[in-house]
């Protein structure tokens, strides 16, 4: 299996560090790029065409997760990248699937849950 590049978007430094720690343990992950809001993430996606998976928080300043999801859907080349939403807001689950998210993980982030969600998403796309 080809190693993947992951873009993790969260305004919480601790969450980003935890995501990086968990993903670095997975042999199928090559690079983990981070952004602290949706706008910063879009700027990264404009320059890098090698992102295979996005992990997205919903509640962020500047551009939140919903705005990011809506923006991604308008860009064909970006709408193909699978997105796993990682949020504290369980009520958002249905809405993010309507916005095109592949999966939803409830915070606090648990290693086994994150790793298996990433693996399942990759298996769906393989």
């Amino acid at each position: 299996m080809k190693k993947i590049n992951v873009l993790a978007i969260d305004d919480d430094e601790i969450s980003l560090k935890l995501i990086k720690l968990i993903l670095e343990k997975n042999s199928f992950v090559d690079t983990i790029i981070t952004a602290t809001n949706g706008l910063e993430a879009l700027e990264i996606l404009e320059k890098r065409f090698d992102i295979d998976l996005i992990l997205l928080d919903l509640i962020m300043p500047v551009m939140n997760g919903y705005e990011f999801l809506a923006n991604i859907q308008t860009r064909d080349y970006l709408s193909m990248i699978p997105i796993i939403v990682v949020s504290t807001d369980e009520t958002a689950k249905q809405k993010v699937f309507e916005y095109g998210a592949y999966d939803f993980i409830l915070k606090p982030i648990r290693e086994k849950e994150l790793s298996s969600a990433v693996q399942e998403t990759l298996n769906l796309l393989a």
Side-chain angles (χ1 to χ4, degrees):
M1 177 189 270
K2 138 182 158 36
K3 288 188 161 219
I4 64 163
N5 297 316
V6 179
L7 174 59
I9 311 164
D10 198 320
D11 62 322
D12 179 41
E13 278 300 314
I14 294 163
S15 289
L16 284 177
K17 282 182 179 157
L18 183 58
I19 287 168
K20 280 185 96 159
L21 277 172
I22 293 169
L23 292 180
E24 285 169 351
K25 293 179 183 179
N26 290 286
S27 60
F28 54 83
V29 174
D30 185 21
T31 309
I32 303 146
I33 300 116
T34 60
T36 56
N37 63 64
L39 188 60
E40 185 183 335
L42 282 175
E43 289 168 1
I44 290 167
L45 290 166
E46 301 271 325
K47 296 180 186 115
R48 293 191 66 136
F49 300 100
D50 61 344
I51 304 296
D52 302 295
L53 178 68
I54 297 170
L55 299 175
L56 175 67
D57 183 29
L58 292 176
I59 301 155
M60 299 177 288
V62 185
M63 179 186 283
N64 69 35
Y66 294 113
E67 293 166 322
F68 177 81
L69 283 166
N71 207 300
I72 284 283
Q73 294 310 314
T74 66
R75 303 166 191 231
D76 287 345
Y77 67 101
L78 295 178
S79 66
M80 305 309 291
I81 302 171
I83 298 171
I84 299 173
V85 171
V86 183
S87 179
T88 55
D89 184 5
E90 195 168 9
T91 63
K93 194 171 184 176
Q94 190 57 45
K95 189 173 180 181
V96 299
F97 287 124
E98 290 167 15
Y99 274 85
Y102 268 66
D103 205 346
F104 182 93
I105 299 172
L106 199 57
K107 285 181 179 178
I109 300 165
R110 289 175 290 287
E111 183 173 349
K112 191 174 180 183
E113 188 180 11
L114 179 61
S115 292
S116 76
V118 168
Q119 187 67 58
E120 284 173 31
T121 301
L122 296 176
N123 289 344
L124 283 174
L125 301 169

